[in-house]
Amino acid sequence: MVLGKDGIILVVMYMEPLAHLSRPEKLSDVIGQKHLIGENKVLSNLINNKKIFSMILYGPPGTGKTTLAYAMINELNLPFGFLNAVINSKKNFDEMVIRAKAEDNFILIMDEIHRLNKDKQDLLLPYLESGIITLIGMTTANPYHSINPAIRSRCQLFELRPLSEEDILDGLRGSLDSLNGIEVTDEALNYIASLAGGDLRFAYNLLEVSYYSTSDFKVDLEVVKRINNKPNLYIDKNDDGYYDVISAFQKSIRGSDVDAALHYLARLIAAEDLDIIFRRLSVIAYEDIGLANPAIGPRLNACIAACERLGLPEARIPLGEIVIEMALSPKSNSAHDAINTALNDVYKGNVGKVPSHLKTNSKDYKYPHSYKGSYVKQQYLPDELLGKKYYVPKTTSKYEISIKQIYDKIQNK
């Protein structure tokens, strides 16, 4: 109850979400994550041996990070506290330390642990080190990139994987008893699972909204479609999975799989991040296609200019065209390899002195344009690198075959 205006007592009803009502109390009832849970699996063995260590659970939303944490604590019947690294203040952290000192085997569950600032880290580290606090951190970010090494070195890291559609269906069916009087078709459940994208919380929420949006609690496919008919795409530009899509995009073009390249392009377009598409395609044009099709660079620039004029959604059209062309283009990384090899020599100190006749204002320099064919025999590499070959031509395209012939002719001279 809450005291409202004029002393009127207001009754506030709190309805626990279906995702919370369906949260299992035992580790063995957790949906999915069979690489961590089950016979002779690491988390199950820890619980069976009644021992828990500081750990970080990371993975996409809705894969069961919080559920796993609570299930382990519940089975071991341990005292615990919950904090969010973003929302909770240093005072809240101090209170947890006081509790940890007073209660044996205290577990601190911390969400958004990758957001932990330096003050809070400095407060927690000695208690993690001494074992007064056992930490279970949770994050959607890759801890190898986003979490302070001092925290990371004191924790075991466990990756949670997206749930399969069958996992999602198991969870949905198990939650039906919490929705009184619901009648739901298999077609509706399958559709929700297909939209969920491995996120069980999303599936629970969609089922719950569908249930309360009806007058008779009968949920069929049309009911669900009226609420949501778009898949739950997990696109977090700060997350490691986003960069996995970008990596797969480049590798699909490099591997000449036009259908895969278009798939990953579509996912990047859905993220509405034209800049990363432009940058990645520019890299591909010169790293993976290069001298096999040197016209691709100017063609890509024309595509980028058109996309900037058009904006989304129309920009998808020139992007689709250039990606198809790039995926099906002949490939050569000879220029990419050549500059990398040259740079490696420079970084290792294999440089040598510039030949005296190439130095500024040298009277001994022979100007090639003054000679037949614009070629004159003279040394260009330093003495220490004479005979060094950086460019190794490939014969995968007509263009590079033609410049290889010129290269060979010069070498022979």
Side-chain angles (χ1 to χ4, degrees):
M1 292 186 295
V2 178
L3 190 64
K5 292 181 179 179
D6 303 322
I8 299 173
I9 295 177
L10 305 176
V11 177
V12 179
M13 295 182 63
Y14 170 71
M15 296 180 61
E16 193 172 4
L18 181 60
H20 287 192
L21 291 172
S22 304
R23 181 165 285 159
E25 297 183 355
K26 295 168 58 180
L27 198 63
S28 57
D29 293 332
V30 172
I31 302 292
Q33 311 311 330
K34 301 305 181 188
H35 61 298
L36 299 174
I37 304 168
E39 186 177 355
N40 207 30
K41 297 298 171 64
V42 57
L43 294 186
S44 297
N45 285 345
L46 288 177
I47 299 306
N48 293 337
N49 292 324
K50 302 190 182 305
K51 184 67 176 177
I52 194 167
F53 298 88
S54 290
M55 64 180 71
I56 294 171
L57 305 174
Y58 70 100
T63 50
K65 297 180 289 294
T66 305
T67 297
L68 270 179
Y70 280 117
M72 288 188 287
I73 290 167
N74 185 63
E75 289 211 48
L76 295 175
N77 195 26
L78 296 174
F80 73 95
F82 183 92
L83 289 175
N84 184 296
V86 178
I87 298 171
N88 292 112
S89 66
K90 187 173 181 293
K91 180 182 177 181
N92 302 132
F93 280 68
D94 287 329
E95 292 168 352
M96 290 296 172
V97 170
I98 293 170
R99 283 190 59 188
K101 290 178 177 178
E103 302 177 64
D104 292 336
N105 302 316
F106 183 78
I107 307 293
L108 176 59
I109 303 174
M110 188 182 301
D111 202 7
E112 302 284 347
I113 190 172
H114 64 288
R115 305 284 190 187
L116 199 64
N117 65 32
K118 188 177 185 302
D119 287 346
K120 296 169 186 175
Q121 289 174 27
D122 291 343
L123 178 66
L124 284 177
L125 281 173
Y127 300 105
L128 287 179
E129 188 73 45
S130 64
I132 292 174
I133 289 178
T134 298
L135 175 70
I136 301 180
M138 300 171 295
T139 177
T140 58
N142 188 327
Y144 294 98
H145 300 159
S146 60
I147 292 180
N148 182 288
I151 295 286
R152 198 172 66 229
S153 69
R154 290 163 173 81
C155 299
Q156 299 300 314
L157 307 182
F158 297 112
E159 182 180 7
L160 275 66
R161 298 168 183 168
L163 303 180
S164 68
E165 287 191 20
E166 198 56 48
D167 290 333
I168 301 290
L169 283 170
D170 287 344
L172 290 173
R173 291 180 182 124
S175 71
L176 296 180
D177 289 341
S178 300
L179 299 172
N180 294 328
I182 188 172
E183 294 182 26
V184 58
T185 65
D186 287 341
E187 192 177 27
L189 290 177
N190 287 328
Y191 185 66
I192 292 173
S194 71
L195 292 181
D199 183 338
L200 184 54
R201 187 190 301 109
F202 173 91
Y204 282 144
N205 292 343
L206 181 51
L207 176 62
E208 188 173 20
V209 173
S210 300
Y211 168 76
Y212 283 109
S213 71
T214 66
S215 58
D216 55 5
F217 304 134
K218 293 180 180 179
V219 177
D220 59 18
L221 181 60
E222 291 307 311
V223 169
V224 179
K225 282 187 172 182
R226 283 199 298 268
I227 298 165
N228 192 329
N229 61 5
K230 292 183 178 180
N232 177 38
L233 292 174
Y234 177 51
I235 303 172
D236 182 350
K237 296 177 185 178
N238 296 316
D239 182 77
D240 201 54
Y242 181 64
Y243 293 95
D244 288 341
V245 173
I246 297 167
S247 173
F249 179 51
Q250 177 165 3
K251 289 169 181 172
S252 297
I253 294 176
R254 179 187 296 150
S256 302
D257 189 327
V258 67
D259 298 303
L262 288 168
H263 168 75
Y264 294 116
L265 172 64
R267 288 169 68 165
L268 293 171
I269 290 173
E272 298 186 357
D273 193 347
L274 287 177
D275 284 344
I276 194 63
I277 297 173
F278 296 161
R279 289 198 301 272
R280 187 58 55 156
L281 286 177
S282 296
V283 169
I284 297 167
Y286 294 97
E287 177 182 346
D288 297 306
I289 297 174
L291 293 171
N293 183 4
I296 205 68
R299 289 181 60 77
L300 174 60
N301 285 338
C303 170
I304 291 171
C307 290
E308 289 173 339
R309 284 196 301 272
L310 293 170
L312 287 171
E314 287 83 359
R316 75 190 188 283
I317 303 168
L319 282 173
E321 182 176 323
I322 197 69
V323 165
I324 291 170
E325 185 176 356
M326 292 174 74
L328 298 179
S329 172
K331 309 294 191 300
S332 173
N333 67 342
S334 58
H336 169 265
D337 288 350
I339 188 59
N340 281 352
T341 306
L343 279 170
N344 285 336
D345 265 353
V346 172
Y347 294 146
K348 291 175 182 177
N350 299 333
V351 289
K353 293 182 179 180
V354 174
S356 60
H357 59 278
L358 297 184
K359 292 180 180 178
T360 307
N361 298 324
S362 170
K363 296 179 180 179
D364 297 324
Y365 173 61
K366 297 177 181 178
Y367 187 56
H369 296 292
S370 298
Y371 295 83
K372 183 179 179 181
S374 296
Y375 175 80
V376 60
K377 186 176 178 63
Q378 65 182 333
Q379 179 180 331
Y380 291 96
L381 276 171
D383 291 341
E384 295 85 346
L385 295 175
L386 276 179
K388 184 76 177 184
K389 305 294 183 189
Y390 292 116
Y391 173 55
V392 179
K394 292 194 171 182
T395 56
T396 54
S397 69
K398 291 181 179 179
Y399 180 82
E400 197 159 10
I401 288 172
S402 68
I403 63 172
K404 180 182 182 300
Q405 292 171 349
I406 298 170
Y407 176 82
D408 290 342
K409 182 178 180 181
I410 293 171
Q411 295 298 309
N412 292 333
K413 286 185 178 180

